[in-house]
Amino acid sequence: MTDRKSIIRNIAEEPWQEFPGHFGGALSKALVAPATTGARLLDYRISTYAPMAYVERHVHKVQEQVYHILDGEGLMEIDGEKRVVRKNDVIFIAPGSWHSITNSGLGQLTFIVVTTPVSDA
């Protein structure tokens, strides 16, 4: 999508996807992204991970990220430090920080991910 305009979308309109580097039922809906809205500076998605699902450890050169845990429990690793995260936790990930999240709980782990800018180039 190349047009940029203000829109209203319902979460049900966007399909669940398992993006590269995500495994075991680590699903996301890219709600605001270049492909879905024409956004250039912001990527906003909701993710839900089945028990034991995870995103592999990775790093972003320039992107900043915020994870906002809505429900469930997981294990967040940032630069080798692991911490349990749960509902209402907010995580800021600075550029250059190696990170990963795994659903280590008994039920679904659901969270919002906000990334800016949309490209790491």
Side-chain angles (χ1 to χ4, degrees), residues 3-88:
D3 293 337
R4 291 182 67 202
K5 61 182 180 178
S6 300
I7 66 165
I8 296 173
R9 301 182 72 212
N10 186 284
I11 196 168
E13 296 173 32
E14 184 64 28
W16 289 108
Q17 300 178 61
E18 192 165 64
F19 286 96
H22 295 70
F23 303 97
L27 303 175
S28 295
K29 289 182 177 238
L31 300 172
V32 177
T36 59
T37 64
R40 294 184 190 158
L41 302 176
L42 182 71
D43 182 298
Y44 179 94
R45 58 186 66 189
I46 188 166
S47 297
T48 190
Y49 286 19
M52 298 180 5
Y54 67 97
V55 62
E56 66 188 7
R57 190 172 167 265
H58 63 285
V59 65
H60 303 288
K61 294 183 286 183
V62 299
Q63 292 174 316
E64 296 181 325
Q65 290 190 311
V66 175
Y67 287 32
H68 181 171
I69 309 298
L70 301 177
D71 200 21
E73 213 170 48
L75 192 61
M76 183 84 210
E77 179 181 349
I78 301 175
D79 292 330
E81 181 183 337
K82 295 180 181 179
R83 293 211 21 211
V84 172
V85 293
R86 56 182 56 95
K87 185 176 181 175
N88 298 323

Side-chain angles (χ1 to χ4, degrees), residues 76-82 91-93 97-100:
M76 183 84 210
E77 179 181 349
I78 301 175
D79 292 330
E81 181 183 337
K82 295 180 181 179
I91 302 111
F92 171 72
I93 303 167
S97 292
W98 284 90
H99 58 284
S100 175

